[in-house]
Amino acid sequence: MTPRDASDANDNRWSDLDRPPLNEASLRRALVREDGLWRDVEVVQRTGSTNSDLVALATEGKADEGVVLVAEEQNAGRGRLDRQWTAPARSGLFFSVLLKPTQVPVERWGWLPLLTGVAVATGLSRAAGVDTALKWPNDLLVTVGEEERKTGGILAERAGTDAVVVGIGINVTLREDELPVPGAGSLALAGAVSTDRDTVLRAVLRSLEQWYERWRGVGGDPAASGLQETYAAGCATLGRVVRAELPGGRAITGEAVAVDGDGRLVIATGEGVQEPVGAGDVVHLRAV
C-alpha cells in the first residue's frame, strides 16, 4: 500500500526490549474480517506522517475505506494547528484510518474527531485500565500523580470529496525524561495495567469500529447514536472556565457549558452570552 523506508533493513527493531515492534500479521488476523470495517492493516517502520500518506493514497484512488496505516516512528507527525508530534520509535501508537461516511450528511462529518475521542477513551479503558478524559475538541488526557496531562491527540482531514482520514497519536511508554513538552504524559506514567501496543491498538480500533457503525447507522445523528451524551460525560472541558483562542486573533473567556448538536463547544461569557465555538484552541483555566 505504501513504500517502505529504504533504511528499514538497517534498523534494529529490537534495540529497546521494553518497546517491541508491532506484529502486523497478528493485527490483521485480529481486526480484518469479511463483514467488518477494517479491510487492511499495514505497519511501516518510519514515515513522515501517516495522515499525509493516507490522504495522498485516498486522493489518488489507491486506498479505500477501512485501511489502517500504522507507523512505528513518525518524523513529521502533525497535530491540530500544524503542531508537530514526535516521539521515540515504538514508544506510542501513531496511526491513521480511512473512512467514507457517505450515508451521513457532510455537515455532520465534524463529529468524527469527537467520535474518535470517545472510541479511543473507551478502548484505553478496556485495554490499559487508564481513565482517559477528553479535552475539546480532540485531546486525550490522563492523570499523572494529581496532574492532568495530554497523552494523545486526534487529527481529521478531508481526502477528496467522499473520504476522511483520521489520525491518532497516543503516548504509550514515554518516560518522564522523554516527554516532548511540559504537560505531556503517557499511559505508562498514568499507571496503565498494560502497555502492550498490539493489545491497545486492537482495543482502540474495535471500539472505533463500534462507534462509527452506530453513528453511521443513524445518519450521523449525534443524539440518536448516543455520541453527544457520551462525549459530554467524558469531556473534561465542560464545567471549566476556559479561554478559546479563535481564528483571526479573537479570544473569548467563560464557562464551557455544553457541546451542541453540531459538536461545537458552547461558552457562557461574563456578559451573559452563550457563544458556540466550532474551531480554535481552548485552554483550561480552572475548574468551576
Side-chain angles (χ1 to χ4, degrees):
M1 182 178 66
T2 55
R4 293 178 181 270
D5 192 312
S7 64
D8 288 352
N10 298 319
D11 288 341
N12 182 353
R13 299 169 65 220
W14 294 93
S15 58
D16 187 339
L17 295 180
D18 291 330
R19 292 170 174 166
L22 292 165
N23 187 324
E24 181 181 80
S26 176
L27 289 168
R28 282 180 174 155
R29 286 195 301 270
L31 293 165
V32 177
R33 63 184 196 278
E34 187 174 346
D35 60 344
L37 172 63
W38 308 123
R39 311 314 305 164
D40 188 29
V41 179
E42 180 172 1
V43 179
V44 298
Q45 294 308 305
R46 182 184 299 109
T47 191
S49 160
T50 57
N51 253 39
S52 295
D53 292 346
L54 204 46
V55 166
L57 289 167
T59 302
E60 296 167 5
K62 296 179 180 177
D64 208 346
E65 181 172 53
V67 167
V68 181
L69 178 61
V70 191
E72 295 283 34
E73 181 181 7
Q74 288 190 129
N75 54 30
R78 293 174 292 119
R80 290 182 60 249
L81 308 179
D82 288 327
R83 291 172 177 145
Q84 294 298 303
W85 181 288
T86 59
R90 304 185 301 280
S91 66
L93 289 169
F94 321 111
F95 62 102
S96 298
V97 302
L98 178 60
L99 303 173
K100 291 189 175 182
T102 52
Q103 303 94 323
V104 175
V106 173
E107 58 268 22
R108 288 178 170 169
W109 288 16
W111 273 99
L112 277 171
L114 282 69
L115 179 154
T116 303
V118 168
V120 173
T122 302
L124 293 181
S125 176
R126 292 172 179 168
V130 171
D131 186 15
T132 307
L134 304 169
K135 177 176 176 284
W136 187 93
N138 50 15
D139 284 348
L140 306 165
L141 306 178
V142 296
T143 301
V144 178
E146 297 183 355
E147 185 181 2
E148 195 174 65
R149 297 195 191 180
K150 178 179 175 179
T151 196
I154 296 158
L155 178 66
E157 298 181 87
R158 289 288 294 271
T161 60
D162 65 345
V164 178
V165 170
V166 181
I168 302 164
I170 304 168
N171 293 335
V172 178
T173 61
L174 258 72
R175 300 178 278 268
E176 196 74 47
D177 62 349
E178 295 176 320
L179 298 176
V181 295
S186 69
L187 299 184
L189 291 173
V193 297
S194 172
T195 56
D196 184 314
R197 292 183 306 136
D198 283 81
T199 301
V200 173
L201 181 56
R202 289 197 301 268
V204 167
L205 287 172
R206 284 169 177 156
S207 178
L208 179 54
E209 178 178 13
Q210 291 166 359
W211 271 106
Y212 178 68
E213 297 292 8
R214 182 187 307 180
W215 173 77
R216 186 169 62 172
V218 292
D221 188 318
S225 63
L227 176 58
Q228 186 175 3
E229 180 181 8
T230 305
Y231 184 88
C235 182
T237 303
L238 295 181
R240 297 276 187 98
V241 174
V242 302
R243 181 177 68 254
E245 299 169 355
L246 308 179
R250 190 168 74 94
I252 60 174
T253 300
E255 182 184 352
V257 296
V259 175
D260 70 11
D262 294 320
R264 300 176 299 180
L265 184 67
V266 180
I267 298 176
T269 68
E271 292 75 33
V273 176
Q274 292 198 353
E275 184 165 347
V277 173
D281 199 22
V282 171
V283 179
H284 290 176
L285 300 180
R286 62 177 175 83
V288 175

